[in-house]
Structure formats: C-alpha cells, structure tokens
Amino acid sequence: MMNRRNAIKSVALLLGGTLSAPTLLAMNRWEKNPISTAYPADLVLSESQKLMVAEVAEMIIPKTNTPGAQDAGVPAFIVMMIQDCYKQPEHISFMDGLKNLEQKNFMSLNQSRKTEILKQVESDTVDQMKVYQVQQTKMGDNDDREQMKEQVKGLPFWRLMKELTLLGYYTSEQGLKSSFDYVPIPGKLEMIKLKPGQKSFAY
C-alpha cells in the first residue's frame, strides 16, 4: 500500500484542495516530527471525550459495505493530530466543541437525536467560519508568529472534526483500499470514464 506519509501530502487534492491553513500546518508538523512533544501538555482528552470523538467520526464516515472511521483507526489519528500538531487556538475550539456535546448528553442520546445535534453544529459552523475568516484576514495566518492572544478563536470544532476524519480515513490503508484501486506503477496518462460502482485510482 501507499506509504501514509506520501498519501498525506496529496490528500488536499483528494478532498478538493479545501483543507484549512491550521490543518495544513499541522500536517507539516506531523510529517517533520510524527512523535512531536511540542504541545503535549496543552490538551488532554478524557476517555469519555475520546469515545465522543470516535462516535462523531463514525457518524461522518459510517461503516456500510466499506469500513467506517473506527475500522480505519481514525479516532486515534484525530486525537494524536489535535494533541501533538495543532496550536492552542484549535485546542480551545476543539475542547469547546466537545464540552458543548457533553452538555447535551450526546453519548446517551439515540442515533436520530445525535444526528439532529450534529446537523445543528454544522449549521452553526457556517457563521463561526465567517468570524474565523475575518479574524484571519486581520491577523494573518503565519506559523512563525508569536502565540496568538487568548481571545483569538481557532478553527471551529466541526471543521476540525470533518477535516481530520476525512484526512485520517483517506490516508489509512483501509480507507484507501475501500475507496480506491491503488496503482503502484501508473500507466499512460489517459481520460477514462469510470463505470457505475468502479473505484477511482490512487497512485
């Protein structure tokens, strides 16, 4: 299978080139130092919060006739990335999102109610992203800047969850195998029309 680190370099193209700047910077930190100890004390998730992360990830990519997020090891990937590769603004926004779900007793709800809550979180994220983008325009998004002030908000929780779930899934062996036909030695460049149900190709 494709080396995960090679896959992670091209996953932005796979997802339409829409990964946020904080996630691209986090990917860069992970690639340079996958066992980074730069930020370990900044964020610690409880076991119940890790279970919540796993549940939300599985709802984003559920198990069907292909593996779900949990089958592909996505929850552990999300926790590792958030803890080790993001900075404090994203730590704060991620924890705020988890605490919001905890206040709603998310894990004790039925699947239908969980879905309703996540749809509302997604809807709220539209406005949060507008605020975030205005903030970034004013302050810039430079990884070499001094630590941002406390009032500066990080990328919203839902955006982080979706990006990291997709990133973790499509750079995992199970995610690649279930979604793509891996071709280690590409052939000639040509345009082909995929048949219904046919997997796309990963090189």
Side-chain angles (χ1 to χ4, degrees):
M1 284 300 298
M2 182 189 299
N3 179 278
R4 183 168 187 150
R5 192 163 303 178
N6 291 333
I8 212 168
K9 292 177 181 178
S10 58
V11 77
L13 295 176
L14 173 67
L15 303 180
T18 57
L19 291 178
S20 65
T23 295
L24 291 173
L25 291 171
M27 288 166 60
N28 187 52
R29 292 188 197 104
W30 181 80
E31 182 184 354
K32 289 180 178 178
N33 187 7
I35 53 171
S36 171
T37 56
Y39 309 108
D42 291 348
L43 180 68
V44 177
L45 274 66
S46 67
E47 290 305 311
S48 62
Q49 288 170 334
K50 290 178 182 178
L51 289 174
M52 191 177 298
V53 168
E55 178 70 10
V56 174
E58 186 70 13
M59 291 180 71
I60 293 173
I61 304 181
K63 181 175 183 176
T64 54
N65 59 329
T66 58
Q70 293 191 43
D71 294 322
V74 171
F77 174 82
I78 293 173
V79 172
M80 178 277 294
M81 287 292 288
I82 286 290
Q83 287 182 327
D84 294 349
C85 302
Y86 284 84
K87 289 190 174 182
Q88 189 176 26
E90 278 66 48
H91 288 184
I92 293 171
S93 60
F94 193 80
M95 289 302 294
D96 284 348
L98 290 180
K99 289 174 182 176
N100 176 50
L101 294 181
E102 286 176 330
Q103 290 171 357
K104 292 178 169 59
N105 296 313
F106 182 80
M107 294 300 286
S108 65
L109 301 174
N110 61 39
Q111 204 68 12
S112 176
R113 182 62 183 136
K114 287 178 180 176
T115 301
E116 288 177 11
I117 287 176
L118 292 185
K119 284 183 177 180
Q120 184 60 53
V121 171
E122 185 171 40
S123 178
D124 293 343
T125 301
V126 175
D127 290 333
Q128 293 169 4
M129 281 301 299
K130 290 177 182 177
V131 173
Y132 177 81
Q133 288 162 354
V134 169
Q135 165 192 288
Q136 294 306 103
T137 300
K138 290 180 179 179
M139 295 192 63
D141 203 7
N142 189 338
D143 192 38
D144 297 325
R145 289 174 67 92
E146 294 181 2
Q147 181 67 42
M148 292 182 178
K149 295 180 181 179
E150 266 188 37
Q151 65 266 29
V152 173
K153 294 183 179 296
L155 198 67
F157 166 78
W158 184 246
R159 180 64 183 264
L160 286 166
M161 273 298 309
K162 288 192 75 173
E163 286 191 353
L164 288 175
T165 298
L166 294 171
L167 181 62
Y169 189 79
Y170 288 111
T171 58
S172 71
E173 181 173 344
Q174 292 215 39
L176 281 171
K177 280 183 173 178
S178 64
S179 305
F180 300 92
D181 281 328
Y182 176 55
V183 183
I185 304 176
K188 64 181 180 179
L189 181 63
E190 59 181 335
M191 295 294 292
I192 62 172
K193 185 176 181 179
L194 297 178
K195 299 175 182 178
Q198 182 181 355
K199 296 178 182 180
S200 185
F201 298 99
Y203 300 105

